[in-house]
Amino acid sequence: MSTMQQYEQRAGGSFASAIDVHHLNRQTMGDRALEREVLELFRRQARILLYRFEAQTNPVQRADLAHTIKGSARGVGANRVAFAAEELERAAKAGEPTGKALAELAESVAEVTSAIELRFGIDG
């Protein structure tokens, strides 16, 4: 088994638990280069939006940021991120405390971004 095959095998389990690979494959039509591009964009955007959410105090704008993360996550098959963002959006719209939901979202984004970095050999 080649080094790359071993790496793919090791990264595959982590990646498959973080990303719905069947959904992603449908979205990218099986194009591995497109998959990488889409996931790199998601990785960057999710981190940026998390920072913006933390800096934002307006509940409506916080809900909009959570909604954006939710849509992006659904697009790439990052279901845990999407569910966490949905809960964060709900809490922000309701004017409820968002600390727990934000922590869950941050944890799920970290899991997905780590899996993406491992899959493609990207430095965090």
Side-chain angles (χ1 to χ4, degrees):
M1 183 180 291
S2 74
T3 303
M4 190 58 185
Q5 288 171 325
Q6 290 173 358
Y7 175 78
E8 283 288 323
Q9 187 177 41
R10 198 173 66 244
S14 172
F15 186 77
S17 68
I19 298 283
D20 178 343
V21 291
H22 298 294
H23 175 79
L24 180 62
N25 193 284
R26 283 191 307 274
Q27 295 297 97
T28 60
M29 299 165 282
D31 183 329
R32 184 76 174 205
L34 180 58
E35 176 185 305
R36 180 181 179 136
E37 182 179 348
V38 167
L39 289 173
E40 284 183 0
L41 288 170
F42 173 76
R43 177 179 154 264
R44 281 190 298 251
Q45 181 190 39
R47 287 177 170 173
I48 290 167
L49 292 173
L50 273 177
Y51 289 122
R52 287 184 182 165
F53 188 94
E54 289 177 331
Q56 187 57 251
T57 57
N58 181 304
V60 173
Q61 290 176 341
R62 290 183 112 199
D64 287 345
L65 289 168
H67 182 81
T68 300
I69 295 172
K70 177 179 73 176
S72 296
R74 285 184 176 158
V76 299
N79 295 325
R80 182 173 172 222
V81 173
F83 292 134
E86 185 172 33
E87 176 56 25
L88 184 58
E89 179 184 14
R90 186 205 60 73
K93 281 182 177 177
E96 297 173 359
T98 56
K100 183 178 177 187
L102 181 57
E104 176 64 28
L105 179 59
E107 181 181 315
S108 62
V109 166
E111 175 189 32
V112 169
T113 57
S114 179
I116 292 167
E117 290 162 2
L118 182 61
R119 183 171 179 103
F120 296 110
I122 302 167
D123 288 332

mmCIF file of all heavy atoms in Angstrom, residues 1-11:
data_model
loop_
_atom_site.group_PDB
_atom_site.id
_atom_site.type_symbol
_atom_site.label_atom_id
_atom_site.label_comp_id
_atom_site.label_asym_id
_atom_site.label_seq_id
_atom_site.Cartn_x
_atom_site.Cartn_y
_atom_site.Cartn_z
ATOM 1 N N MET A 1 0.858 -1.179 0.000
ATOM 2 C CA MET A 1 0.000 0.000 0.000
ATOM 3 C C MET A 1 0.903 1.241 0.000
ATOM 4 O O MET A 1 1.817 1.348 0.799
ATOM 5 C CB MET A 1 -0.914 -0.031 1.230
ATOM 6 C CG MET A 1 -1.892 1.117 1.289
ATOM 7 S SD MET A 1 -2.991 1.126 2.742
ATOM 8 C CE MET A 1 -4.033 -0.270 2.423
ATOM 9 N N SER A 2 0.598 2.168 -0.882
ATOM 10 C CA SER A 2 1.412 3.382 -0.975
ATOM 11 C C SER A 2 1.171 4.288 0.234
ATOM 12 O O SER A 2 0.179 4.149 0.951
ATOM 13 C CB SER A 2 1.076 4.151 -2.248
ATOM 14 O OG SER A 2 -0.174 4.803 -2.119
ATOM 15 N N THR A 3 2.070 5.212 0.425
ATOM 16 C CA THR A 3 1.931 6.183 1.525
ATOM 17 C C THR A 3 0.646 6.980 1.361
ATOM 18 O O THR A 3 -0.078 7.219 2.332
ATOM 19 C CB THR A 3 3.147 7.123 1.554
ATOM 20 O OG1 THR A 3 4.317 6.325 1.689
ATOM 21 C CG2 THR A 3 3.048 8.109 2.696
ATOM 22 N N MET A 4 0.341 7.376 0.120
ATOM 23 C CA MET A 4 -0.866 8.159 -0.124
ATOM 24 C C MET A 4 -2.117 7.331 0.186
ATOM 25 O O MET A 4 -3.064 7.840 0.778
ATOM 26 C CB MET A 4 -0.895 8.647 -1.578
ATOM 27 C CG MET A 4 -1.974 9.651 -1.851
ATOM 28 S SD MET A 4 -1.753 11.076 -0.770
ATOM 29 C CE MET A 4 -3.180 12.025 -1.171
ATOM 30 N N GLN A 5 -2.115 6.050 -0.170
ATOM 31 C CA GLN A 5 -3.261 5.195 0.136
ATOM 32 C C GLN A 5 -3.429 5.041 1.647
ATOM 33 O O GLN A 5 -4.551 5.052 2.152
ATOM 34 C CB GLN A 5 -3.097 3.832 -0.529
ATOM 35 C CG GLN A 5 -3.292 3.871 -2.034
ATOM 36 C CD GLN A 5 -2.921 2.551 -2.686
ATOM 37 O OE1 GLN A 5 -1.989 1.875 -2.248
ATOM 38 N NE2 GLN A 5 -3.653 2.190 -3.732
ATOM 39 N N GLN A 6 -2.332 4.896 2.370
ATOM 40 C CA GLN A 6 -2.394 4.794 3.826
ATOM 41 C C GLN A 6 -2.953 6.078 4.426
ATOM 42 O O GLN A 6 -3.784 6.046 5.335
ATOM 43 C CB GLN A 6 -1.008 4.506 4.401
ATOM 44 C CG GLN A 6 -0.492 3.124 4.090
ATOM 45 C CD GLN A 6 0.955 2.937 4.528
ATOM 46 O OE1 GLN A 6 1.590 3.850 5.034
ATOM 47 N NE2 GLN A 6 1.473 1.730 4.328
ATOM 48 N N TYR A 7 -2.491 7.198 3.912
ATOM 49 C CA TYR A 7 -2.961 8.504 4.382
ATOM 50 C C TYR A 7 -4.460 8.639 4.124
ATOM 51 O O TYR A 7 -5.221 9.039 4.999
ATOM 52 C CB TYR A 7 -2.179 9.609 3.661
ATOM 53 C CG TYR A 7 -2.658 10.992 3.984
ATOM 54 C CD1 TYR A 7 -2.316 11.603 5.175
ATOM 55 C CD2 TYR A 7 -3.461 11.690 3.094
ATOM 56 C CE1 TYR A 7 -2.755 12.876 5.480
ATOM 57 C CE2 TYR A 7 -3.899 12.959 3.384
ATOM 58 C CZ TYR A 7 -3.547 13.542 4.574
ATOM 59 O OH TYR A 7 -3.991 14.792 4.865
ATOM 60 N N GLU A 8 -4.890 8.284 2.902
ATOM 61 C CA GLU A 8 -6.309 8.376 2.548
ATOM 62 C C GLU A 8 -7.148 7.490 3.459
ATOM 63 O O GLU A 8 -8.214 7.886 3.903
ATOM 64 C CB GLU A 8 -6.513 7.959 1.085
ATOM 65 C CG GLU A 8 -6.102 9.018 0.090
ATOM 66 C CD GLU A 8 -7.059 10.191 0.058
ATOM 67 O OE1 GLU A 8 -8.283 9.988 0.187
ATOM 68 O OE2 GLU A 8 -6.580 11.326 -0.105
ATOM 69 N N GLN A 9 -6.650 6.289 3.736
ATOM 70 C CA GLN A 9 -7.375 5.364 4.588
ATOM 71 C C GLN A 9 -7.510 5.932 6.002
ATOM 72 O O GLN A 9 -8.575 5.897 6.597
ATOM 73 C CB GLN A 9 -6.667 4.011 4.617
ATOM 74 C CG GLN A 9 -7.444 2.941 5.343
ATOM 75 C CD GLN A 9 -6.732 1.609 5.284
ATOM 76 O OE1 GLN A 9 -5.506 1.536 5.416
ATOM 77 N NE2 GLN A 9 -7.477 0.553 5.089
ATOM 78 N N ARG A 10 -6.430 6.482 6.532
ATOM 79 C CA ARG A 10 -6.431 7.062 7.874
ATOM 80 C C ARG A 10 -7.355 8.283 7.937
ATOM 81 O O ARG A 10 -8.110 8.463 8.881
ATOM 82 C CB ARG A 10 -5.002 7.438 8.265
ATOM 83 C CG ARG A 10 -4.813 7.643 9.746
ATOM 84 C CD ARG A 10 -3.357 7.856 10.103
ATOM 85 N NE ARG A 10 -2.838 9.079 9.549
ATOM 86 C CZ ARG A 10 -1.863 9.164 8.634
ATOM 87 N NH1 ARG A 10 -1.286 8.096 8.169
ATOM 88 N NH2 ARG A 10 -1.447 10.319 8.180
ATOM 89 N N ALA A 11 -7.288 9.124 6.909
ATOM 90 C CA ALA A 11 -8.085 10.352 6.882
ATOM 91 C C ALA A 11 -9.551 10.066 6.579
ATOM 92 O O ALA A 11 -10.429 10.812 6.986
ATOM 93 C CB ALA A 11 -7.522 11.327 5.851
#
